[in-house]
Amino acid sequence: MDIQIRKATPEDAEALVNIYNKAFYEDYVKYGECPGYGRSVSDMVKSINEIPKHIAYVDSNPIGAISVLPKQNGVYYIGCVCVIPEYQRNGIGHKLLEFIKEQYKDWKKLELVTPADKEKNINFYTKKCGFNIDCEEMDGTVRVYHFSLNKD
């Protein structure tokens, strides 16, 4: 599978909304809320302008995305790693994370949050990508884990 990744522009807002809605629909149904689901195109344009996003393509079809917020001193917050369901479990999420490590060569630490009961996410981040669980907390009505990956 030939995966291409490129930085999103405001013109990609509708494609990103479609990716997020497909990728996060299950979470929205399960939790009754999901910050990645149901965003408007105008909200996504604003988000693209504030937080860098990259889109993964297969055969010119947008199928995944990652957003990364530079914090300080080489720390980056991964706000979203998502792949539409029919393309999940094909290494695309891992490829998106590796892409970010290459794009932000000064990274020392990556941070992210995911629901604490999402075993497939937990296994992906800990077993496949090397992240550690730092702590857990409630985010609204959802218990979440905070993850981090330190550069060796």
Side-chain angles (χ1 to χ4, degrees):
M1 183 178 318
D2 183 34
I3 301 164
Q4 301 295 316
I5 301 172
R6 70 168 178 77
K7 187 169 183 177
T9 67
E11 291 75 28
D12 296 313
E14 187 172 349
L16 279 168
V17 167
N18 289 331
I19 292 167
Y20 280 39
N21 283 347
K22 288 176 183 177
F24 292 119
Y25 178 73
E26 181 182 303
D27 288 353
Y28 175 73
V29 169
K30 182 175 185 174
Y31 304 114
E33 61 181 301
C34 178
Y37 181 80
R39 298 172 80 170
S40 69
V41 172
S42 62
D43 283 345
M44 185 61 76
V45 168
K46 183 178 181 209
S47 183
I48 291 167
N49 288 326
E50 294 174 353
I51 302 169
K53 297 176 186 357
H54 294 81
I55 303 174
Y57 293 85
V58 171
D59 298 327
S60 301
N61 297 315
I63 52 87
I66 188 166
S67 68
V68 57
L69 178 64
K71 290 171 85 175
Q72 58 183 331
N73 300 323
V75 177
Y76 291 86
Y77 179 75
I78 306 296
C80 171
V81 178
C82 62
V83 177
I84 63 175
E86 56 266 34
Y87 285 91
Q88 290 176 1
R89 299 190 182 270
N90 287 301
I92 298 165
H94 191 266
K95 190 167 229 176
L96 284 163
L97 283 166
E98 291 302 311
F99 177 83
I100 292 304
K101 291 178 189 177
E102 284 297 314
Q103 289 295 302
Y104 299 90
K105 293 188 186 296
D106 69 329
W107 79 275
K108 294 177 185 165
K109 182 177 185 180
L110 300 178
E111 300 175 332
L112 60 89
V113 175
T114 198
D117 65 349
K118 297 269 310 211
E119 285 298 320
K120 70 179 183 179
N121 290 13
I122 295 163
N123 288 334
F124 171 72
Y125 291 122
T126 58
K127 294 180 179 162
K128 298 198 179 202
C129 300
F131 281 77
N132 294 307
I133 298 172
D134 295 329
C135 66
E136 72 176 73
E137 69 176 3
M138 293 301 292
D139 183 0
T141 61
V142 181
R143 189 169 56 98
V144 298
Y145 285 150
H146 289 254
F147 291 80
S148 67
L149 175 67
N150 291 301
K151 192 174 196 176
D152 293 330

